[in-house]
């Protein structure tokens, strides 16, 4: 029997109606853009990839352009893209506009979630050009050090720990720079340049890359949207491999599988409540793995 909630979701478990969670999604999109702009401005240079990033955000169809706030924001982004430069004046104007939308639209009171959305947008901004300069690393360090609540939880705690290790000797060598960039890109979902999404991004994070995991008898939960077929198709494939499919995350779970494209209704950007729950359980000592769609496909292909 189909429940009322299930009737509102498509075959990938995502809401049919765009108005579902609209206010939170609007805040998420705007906070993400604020972070992206801060990150891009950190090196005062708009590269071709960063232009693609802003255009992807603008062209995302998750919001109806009848929303006057988004019409105004789109016009501002077009002005920035026209000459490929974000001037101090342009940055101040658009950030002020974004803050006004949050404040006067009464959609800025999302506490920790809002802070994380801004952080993930910032990570996307500084890593979109596939490089990390010293100025960007310094600004990221400053951003993290300003909020003890933020760095007490994922994903900020993982980034802070890596940064502290890298900066312990006062030198950032190329191997450390590459390692930090890889972590940032995985957390912020940099595959958006391939999918064309700018929030509700690609989820390529995994806790393991072991391609020899035995699936038979495992308890597995799926989340997100899959490029290689619907979530129901993935669940059927799992059952054929002797897997017990679970609808929700619990401490007895073995694996959480992430679809390559995250929903606009995920709690943050490149991971959702299920991922957050798994990470919390892992910190408590429970051995639950998170794997992305690429590894999942490889495991089921070999099985």
């Amino acid at each position: 029997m189909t429940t009322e909630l299930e009737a509102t979701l498509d075959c990938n478990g995502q809401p049919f109606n765009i108005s579902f969670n609209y206010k939170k999604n609007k805040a998420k999109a705007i906070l993400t853009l604020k972070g992206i702009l801060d990150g891009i401005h950190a090196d005062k240079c708009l590269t071709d990839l960063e232009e693609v990033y802003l255009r992807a955000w603008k062209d995302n169809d998750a919001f109806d352009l009848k929303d006057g706030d988004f019409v105004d924001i789109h016009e501002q982004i077009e002005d920035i893209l026209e000459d490929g430069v974000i001037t101090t004046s342009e940055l101040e104007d658009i950030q002020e506009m974004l803050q006004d939308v949050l404040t006067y639209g009464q959609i800025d009171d999302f506490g920790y979630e809002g802070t994380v959305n801004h952080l993930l947008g910032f990570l996307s901004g500084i890593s979109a050009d596939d490089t990390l300069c010293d100025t960007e690393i310094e600004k990221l360090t400053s951003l993290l050090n300003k909020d003890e609540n933020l760095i007490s939880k994922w994903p900020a705690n993982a980034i802070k720990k890596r940064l502290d290790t890298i900066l312990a000797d006062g030198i950032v060598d190329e191997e450390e720079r590459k390692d930090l960039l890889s972590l940032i890109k995985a957390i912020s979902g940099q595959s958006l340049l391939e999918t064309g999404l700018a929030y509700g991004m690609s989820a390529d994070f995994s806790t393991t890359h072991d391609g020899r995991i035995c699936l038979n008898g495992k308890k597995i939960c799926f989340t997100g949207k899959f490029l290689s077929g619907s979530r129901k198709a993935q669940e059927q494939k799992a059952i054929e491999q002797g897997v017990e499919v679970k609808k929700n995350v619990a401490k007895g779970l073995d694996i959480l599988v992430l679809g390559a494209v995250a929903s606009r209704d995920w709690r943050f950007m490149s991971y959702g409540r299920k991922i957050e729950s798994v990470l919390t359980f892992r910190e408590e000592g429970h051995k639950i793995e998170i794997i992305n769609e690429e590894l999942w496909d490889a495991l089921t292909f070999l099985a």
Side-chain angles (χ1 to χ4, degrees):
M1 180 176 178
T2 302
T3 67
E4 181 178 351
L5 174 60
E6 289 172 336
T8 67
L9 305 178
D10 63 19
C11 63
N12 295 302
Q14 313 304 333
F16 282 113
N17 191 342
I18 199 170
S19 65
F20 185 85
N21 273 342
Y22 187 85
K23 181 175 280 192
K24 281 197 172 185
N25 287 326
K26 183 173 181 176
K28 177 168 62 175
I30 291 171
L31 287 162
T32 299
L33 181 58
K34 283 172 65 69
I36 289 171
L37 291 168
D38 280 346
I40 289 176
H41 193 67
D43 63 1
K44 298 180 175 63
C45 179
L46 195 64
T47 67
D48 289 344
L49 281 177
E50 288 166 341
E51 287 188 26
V52 171
Y53 213 111
L54 283 179
R55 196 169 295 282
W57 190 97
K58 184 183 76 67
D59 292 343
N60 195 305
D61 63 358
F63 290 90
D64 191 333
L65 281 181
K66 291 179 181 178
D67 186 323
D69 291 332
F70 281 94
V71 172
D72 293 339
I73 294 168
H74 283 200
E75 289 178 354
Q76 287 274 35
I77 294 176
E78 278 296 340
D79 289 342
I80 292 169
L81 292 171
E82 187 174 357
D83 59 7
V85 175
I86 301 182
T87 66
T88 301
S89 176
E90 285 176 324
L91 181 66
E92 290 176 351
D93 287 347
I94 193 168
Q95 292 286 37
E96 183 178 353
M97 174 188 290
L98 295 176
Q99 189 56 53
D100 284 348
V101 172
L102 292 170
T103 301
Y104 296 112
Q106 298 182 327
I107 56 174
D108 62 341
D109 189 24
F110 292 114
Y112 175 69
E113 293 191 19
T115 304
V116 170
N117 281 319
H118 179 271
L119 171 64
L120 291 174
F122 179 83
L123 296 178
S124 299
I126 63 174
S127 59
D129 60 359
D130 217 25
T131 61
L132 279 180
C133 67
D134 290 340
T135 302
E136 290 168 330
I137 293 175
E138 290 170 6
K139 193 163 184 178
L140 174 59
T141 303
S142 176
L143 180 64
L144 293 173
N145 287 338
K146 282 193 293 188
D147 192 333
E148 291 186 3
N149 182 49
L150 178 65
I151 61 174
S152 68
K153 302 173 184 176
W154 176 271
N157 58 358
I159 301 169
K160 180 68 163 57
K161 183 177 180 180
R162 191 73 60 89
L163 267 176
D164 287 346
T165 301
I166 290 172
L167 299 174
D169 60 1
I171 301 172
V172 183
D173 62 35
E174 288 309 307
E175 184 175 347
E176 291 172 328
R177 197 181 302 272
K178 183 178 179 180
D179 179 61
L180 180 60
L181 178 64
S182 177
L183 174 66
I184 288 173
K185 288 170 73 71
I187 289 173
S188 61
Q190 282 297 297
S191 296
L192 76 90
L193 293 178
E194 299 169 11
T195 64
L197 298 176
Y199 50 89
M201 294 183 178
S202 159
D204 54 7
F205 173 74
S206 295
T207 58
T208 180
H209 297 283
D210 186 356
R212 299 166 298 173
I213 297 174
C214 177
L215 297 177
N216 187 41
K218 291 290 193 299
K219 296 177 181 178
I220 296 180
C221 180
F222 295 86
T223 190
K225 183 176 181 179
F226 290 78
L227 295 176
S228 57
S230 69
R231 190 189 301 181
K232 288 184 178 180
Q234 305 304 324
E235 291 175 352
Q236 182 58 42
K237 187 162 57 173
I239 292 171
E240 291 172 358
Q241 303 298 333
V243 167
E244 182 179 350
V245 176
K246 296 293 185 179
K247 296 296 184 183
N248 298 299
V249 169
K251 293 180 180 179
L253 192 71
D254 294 300
I255 300 172
L256 176 65
V257 185
L258 309 186
V261 180
S263 161
R264 65 178 181 270
D265 294 292
W266 280 30
R267 184 174 182 183
F268 300 127
M269 288 167 49
S270 51
Y271 65 98
R273 294 184 188 276
K274 289 179 180 177
I275 305 177
E276 184 184 25
S277 295
V278 170
L279 292 169
T280 299
F281 290 149
R282 283 173 61 86
E283 288 182 357
E284 295 173 355
H286 299 278
K287 295 182 179 179
I288 307 175
E289 300 292 358
I290 299 174
I291 63 174
N292 61 23
E293 183 175 351
E294 181 180 6
L295 180 54
W296 166 249
D297 284 345
L299 289 173
T300 51
F301 177 77
L302 293 173

